[in-house]
Amino acid sequence: MVGGALALALLPACNNSPFPRGAERENTLYMAFAERSPRYLDPTSSYTAPESTYVYEISEPPYGYHPLKRPYELIPRAASNVAKPYFLDKQGQRLPDNAPDALIAEAVYDIEIRPGLKWSPHPAFAKDAQGQYLYHHLKPGELGDKRSPFEFQQLATREVVAEDFVYALKRHASPRLEAPVSAVFSEHVLGLKDYMALLTRESEKQLTGLPDNLADKPFLDLRQWPLAGAVAVNDHLLRIRLKGRYPQWQYWLATNFTAPVPWEADAFYAQPGMAANSMSMNRWPIGSGPFMMTEYVQDRRHVMSRNPHYRPDTYPCEGAPGDAEAGRLADCGKPVPFVDKVVAINVKERVPIKELFKQGYLDLPEMDRADWGVNLAVDRDDSDSVRAFFEQRGFQLPMTVDISNWYLGFNWMDPVVGRGDTPEQQRRNRALRQAISIAIDWEEGYGRIFRDKGGDAAHGPIPPGVFGSKEGQPGEFNPVTHRLLNGKVERRPIEDAFKLMEQAGYPGGRDATTGKPLVLNYDFQRVVTPELKAENDWLIRQFAKLGIQLDIRATDFNQFQEKILKGKHQIFWWGWFADYPDAENFLFLLYGPNSKSQHEGENTANYLNPKFDRLYRKLQSLEDGPEKADVMAQMNDIVRQDAPWAWGYWSYSAVAFQRWVHNGKPGVVVRDRARYLRVDTEDRTRSIAAWNRPVWWPLLVLAVGGLAIFFGTRRAWVKRESATALGGTR
């Protein structure tokens, strides 16, 4: 009877949900993440799409983007309004807005900070009755086994003030932090470059005599040293001074890099034992945004909960054409965020994520990836039965063409595929890169084969949809990789690539001097799962057209980041989701001083061309207009010839939501999407129950079988007990 009873007891629990029973009834948004846990949640350091899922919900920069309007429109977040800069000459006299660049010494942004903003609750702010910080003077061992800020007895908050934004800008100069845009910021924020040198000296003095491998370095209090380019005029007025005109600065004010950081955070996390217990801003950031990190289980689960101190905020009442018809304005004026929690679980591969979504257990597959809607749309369009299934379940797959790209990059520091040390080597290496760029048929791979991740082949670094881009326009193409034949743009024949291989010194893929085959290393940023193997095999075949052997060196994303920081990569796969809708945000990926391996910037190819860099600096001061478009065209021509990237493709942007998730819309620069999403928990509960009805009959068969075994065994036992020594019965 035990077998039957056990089977019956298991019947109600028979489902495939990765969440506890009843989770679907909670006002929670459920999603997955396929990679390892985010490495950087500190707003100064974070610069990858998977991290943005959390950072932009926890931190609150001065500006953000309207979640619905297209083209993208800046809106205030921590600021009260979007400020317009004013200009000063060398004598500090104010200039008219249309003053020529030659007269402008400074651009000044006076940014009004919303009064009443509060930090999320944290022990770093807790004080005793005398006003002294409770947890700023922990001695070795006092931290104990605490691994979360919420394990401390006292939590507190305070108002966010302008000085917190000043402190955040200063942190970009700290030698103790990964600061990927410090090179960019130091070129514009007045005094920041000198401030970097100052902090390096002060840090070295403070660390004198301490072990080099000391994990918990003493608190470097940046409040001691003023920064000329960032001043708190009062608690609610932030003044930022830039060197000359720089129109793109308004967009940087919508990134996590300008989000405020309280000095108390650095003081708290610098104490003994914090590093060993994984307590830092990278796991437990302090922010003023709609959510706060309340659970962090490495590589398994992350939970963001509603920030109880979040400011009054409401859902927009305006949008782009079609938003009202799509129901995206139905929540006009209602307070946000709508959900109480955002739960992300680690699911290693795409197929299980897709199945969990189809079953309803995930409200959306992954927040940061804009290809899930494309992937599912391909499934839908390839089968009438799948289409009917998707329509019956009401999956939402809104799609658009957005400002993001994927490309294959060449490390400029590499002796084979990089710049080259001599003019002759530079000529040879350029020919090799151009040959590879011709051979990789992006139109085939991501236009016809891998349609679930597809897009339009790129002809340069400037995406369609931003001012000055000519991508996709009639007659516009990359002459290195394509040609115009019978009025149509087509990829150059492979014979053109063979000629370039001879110029490079590798006829037929072999070194002309030694006869050895050319072997190149491909550094891939993810562990190669079965679904990714097909893409890597395809790329191997592209190189094989030229006789080149491609060696796949795949790692997880964190290890990949370490490799590129050290400049140990050769050829790599990379993508870019725009931070802001301007060509500069893509061209700066090729700006020399922004080198990843040399300056920890975002130029992962470590590309360097002085002429390109001069034009880039000129571009930065130009407003949209004919002169800016001309400079962009010149820069485009330079990098097409140099080929630091095999240009890849402009990816389609499409997100996937369940029918009970409202207000979802693709938008690559809208990173704080979770606060706008509303979940109909009643619909979700009903749907999950209907879609995942247990199949009872196997367990019932098991129960009947268990009963049969029980009675059969009992009958045999009774017969044996009743038997006599002579073979009869008693």
Side-chain angles (χ1 to χ4, degrees):
M1 195 63 182
V2 173
L6 178 60
L8 291 171
L10 288 172
L11 289 178
C14 189
N15 65 59
N16 193 39
S17 176
F19 304 107
R21 175 183 285 263
E24 67 274 10
R25 299 187 185 92
E26 298 177 2
N27 186 25
T28 298
L29 185 73
Y30 296 103
M31 61 186 182
F33 65 99
E35 291 292 329
R36 296 177 64 178
S37 290
R39 185 176 184 183
Y40 299 115
L41 295 184
D42 186 325
T44 304
S45 305
S46 174
Y47 211 175
T48 67
E51 295 164 354
S52 69
T53 294
Y54 311 97
V55 174
Y56 278 84
E57 303 290 352
I58 295 170
S59 302
E60 194 166 34
Y63 305 159
Y65 289 94
H66 195 288
L68 301 177
K69 290 186 177 181
R70 305 292 183 272
Y72 294 107
E73 179 182 302
L74 285 170
I75 60 172
R77 284 195 69 184
S80 298
N81 52 66
V82 175
K84 184 179 180 181
Y86 58 89
F87 306 109
L88 305 176
D89 62 17
K90 292 181 180 179
Q91 287 72 43
Q93 300 298 311
R94 190 155 179 167
L95 296 169
D97 291 345
N98 61 352
D101 291 349
L103 296 181
I104 297 175
E106 292 184 26
V108 183
Y109 285 77
D110 279 350
I111 302 165
E112 297 179 11
I113 305 303
R114 293 179 188 267
L117 289 182
K118 293 290 186 68
W119 294 108
S120 59
H122 197 279
F125 302 119
K127 296 181 179 180
D128 60 20
Q130 289 72 44
Q132 300 299 311
Y133 287 98
L134 286 172
Y135 306 117
H136 279 209
H137 306 286
L138 299 177
K139 296 180 175 59
E142 281 191 317
L143 181 62
D145 59 357
K146 294 184 181 67
R147 295 184 175 273
S148 161
F150 301 98
E151 294 178 29
F152 285 80
Q153 187 175 359
Q154 299 291 330
L155 304 178
T157 185
R158 69 163 171 82
E159 186 178 18
V160 178
V161 294
E163 190 60 45
D164 297 322
F165 293 85
V166 174
Y167 189 84
L169 281 170
K170 290 178 176 179
R171 291 176 96 237
H172 288 278
S174 174
R176 301 184 188 177
L177 293 169
E178 297 285 351
V181 299
S182 61
V184 177
F185 278 19
S186 67
E187 290 195 3
H188 300 288
V189 178
L190 197 66
L192 187 58
K193 191 167 290 187
D194 292 337
Y195 201 79
M196 294 168 74
L198 168 68
L199 290 191
T200 298
R201 293 193 300 271
E202 294 296 334
S203 177
E204 289 174 352
K205 282 195 297 184
Q206 191 184 54
L207 297 177
T208 300
L210 297 176
D212 292 338
N213 62 349
L214 183 66
D216 296 307
K217 294 178 173 59
F219 174 43
L220 185 65
D221 191 351
L222 310 186
R223 295 174 299 166
Q224 300 176 69
W225 306 286
L227 172 61
V231 177
V233 179
N234 55 52
D235 281 353
H236 300 111
L237 183 60
L238 168 68
R239 177 167 293 159
I240 298 176
R241 299 163 60 197
L242 306 181
K243 293 178 282 187
R245 190 198 302 270
Y246 181 43
Q248 291 82 9
W249 183 252
Q250 63 178 334
Y251 299 122
W252 284 112
L253 291 171
T255 67
N256 52 270
F257 301 115
T258 55
V261 175
W263 69 268
E264 292 94 334
D266 282 347
F268 178 82
Y269 287 127
Q271 298 181 91
M274 290 288 179
N277 285 16
S278 300
M279 296 270 278
S280 72
M281 281 284 283
N282 284 321
R283 282 202 179 186
W284 303 104
I286 307 175
S288 62
F291 295 99
M292 58 185 184
M293 186 68 75
T294 52
E295 186 177 342
Y296 190 113
V297 184
Q298 180 71 29
D299 300 334
R300 288 181 58 193
R301 175 181 166 95
H302 307 303
V303 178
M304 292 189 296
S305 301
R306 183 190 295 267
N307 176 5
H309 303 310
Y310 184 54
R311 62 180 172 85
D313 191 10
T314 57
Y315 190 82
C317 293
E318 297 178 319
D323 283 332
E325 293 79 358
R328 298 192 187 106
L329 297 180
D331 290 319
C332 162
K334 294 179 181 178
V336 296
F338 290 110
V339 298
D340 296 327
K341 288 183 180 180
V342 179
V343 174
I345 58 168
N346 188 228
V347 184
K348 294 293 185 183
E349 297 184 6
R350 292 178 68 88
V351 171
I353 292 177
K354 185 186 293 187
E355 291 307 310
L356 288 171
F357 177 77
K358 289 179 181 179
Q359 292 171 295
Y361 295 125
L362 297 177
D363 298 314
L364 66 159
E366 295 176 87
M367 182 74 80
D368 64 286
R369 297 192 67 89
D371 59 355
W372 270 108
V374 179
N375 182 290
L376 289 162
V378 169
D379 290 350
R380 177 197 62 198
D381 297 340
D382 281 349
S383 166
D384 290 340
S385 60
V386 173
R387 176 180 291 275
F389 175 77
F390 278 25
E391 290 177 352
Q392 184 269 328
R393 299 212 163 177
F395 297 151
Q396 304 177 72
L397 308 175
M399 186 181 300
T400 187
V401 176
D402 219 330
I403 47 177
S404 60
N405 72 336
W406 292 96
Y407 62 87
L408 199 76
F410 304 99
N411 181 10
W412 218 242
M413 298 166 61
D414 184 82
V416 179
V417 301
R419 181 174 185 268
D421 294 332
T422 66
E424 173 61 18
Q425 193 62 46
Q426 290 170 14
R427 183 191 64 78
R428 290 183 54 187
N429 289 9
R430 182 171 56 249
L432 175 60
R433 293 190 304 271
Q434 290 179 347
I436 293 171
S437 298
I438 292 171
I440 302 176
D441 191 344
W442 299 104
E443 290 89 347
E444 175 199 66
Y446 292 88
R448 297 189 294 275
I449 299 176
F450 307 112
R451 291 185 298 127
D452 58 339
K453 299 179 180 179
D456 297 331
H459 291 260
I462 307 171
V466 303
F467 173 82
S469 173
K470 296 181 180 179
E471 288 277 330
Q473 295 182 13
E476 175 66 20
F477 62 94
N478 179 1
V480 172
T481 58
H482 289 70
R483 64 182 181 179
L484 193 65
L485 188 66
N486 298 325
K488 291 185 177 181
V489 175
E490 63 173 32
R491 184 165 292 276
R492 286 188 173 277
I494 196 66
E495 289 74 19
D496 289 3
F498 292 159
K499 294 176 184 176
L500 288 166
M501 288 292 288
E502 292 179 3
Q503 296 175 26
Y506 301 103
R510 291 183 174 273
D511 190 299
T513 303
T514 65
K516 293 182 178 180
L518 177 60
V519 180
L520 298 178
N521 297 316
Y522 175 47
D523 295 288
F524 191 61
Q525 58 175 276
R526 298 178 68 182
V527 175
V528 180
T529 57
E531 62 251 38
L532 292 173
K533 185 177 185 301
E535 291 180 67
N536 283 308
D537 288 346
W538 174 82
L539 192 62
I540 289 172
R541 291 195 296 272
Q542 305 307 299
F543 279 76
K545 295 175 186 176
L546 305 174
I548 300 172
Q549 298 179 26
L550 191 66
D551 182 25
I552 307 293
R553 301 194 302 187
T555 62
D556 64 48
F557 187 66
N558 288 347
Q559 291 171 319
F560 176 77
Q561 286 181 298
E562 285 289 339
K563 185 183 295 185
I564 61 176
L565 280 172
K566 295 177 181 177
K568 301 298 184 182
H569 54 308
Q570 187 174 45
I571 299 174
F572 61 96
W573 178 249
W574 201 242
W576 189 255
F577 296 134
D579 295 302
Y580 49 87
D582 190 273
E584 188 215 26
N585 192 232
F586 283 82
L587 293 171
F588 96 125
L589 300 175
L590 293 165
Y591 180 51
N594 204 25
S595 163
K596 171 72 77 173
S597 304
Q598 296 174 319
H599 307 295
E600 298 182 1
E602 288 305 317
N603 176 359
T604 310
N606 300 306
Y607 175 65
L608 178 63
N609 183 311
K611 185 177 180 181
F612 179 92
D613 290 347
R614 285 194 298 272
L615 288 169
Y616 175 83
R617 288 189 286 270
K618 182 177 182 180
L619 175 84
Q620 290 181 303
S621 67
L622 297 176
E623 301 280 359
D624 290 353
E627 185 179 5
K628 181 176 179 179
D630 179 63
V631 170
M632 290 168 57
Q634 293 180 57
M635 298 172 75
N636 210 23
D637 289 341
I638 291 170
V639 294
R640 281 173 170 176
Q641 291 297 320
D642 279 349
W645 300 350
W647 299 106
Y649 63 97
W650 307 112
S651 57
Y652 302 133
S653 178
V655 287
F657 297 101
Q658 299 288 357
R659 72 181 184 210
W660 53 77
V661 178
H662 299 273
N663 307 325
K665 183 175 183 176
V668 69
V669 302
V670 181
R671 304 289 175 81
D672 55 333
R673 187 181 296 129
R675 66 172 164 150
Y676 299 112
L677 299 180
R678 177 172 57 83
V679 176
D680 184 338
T681 57
E682 292 184 3
D683 187 6
R684 179 170 63 188
T685 301
R686 287 193 304 269
S687 299
I688 288 177
W691 297 354
N692 300 279
R693 295 188 187 279
V695 180
W696 303 110
W697 66 263
L699 292 178
L700 291 173
V701 170
L702 177 62
V704 172
L707 290 171
I709 293 170
F710 171 76
F711 285 116
T713 303
R714 187 176 187 280
R715 187 168 58 249
W717 178 80
V718 170
K719 185 177 180 180
R720 188 189 65 181
E721 289 296 307
S722 302
T724 65
L726 297 176
T729 58
R730 290 197 288 256

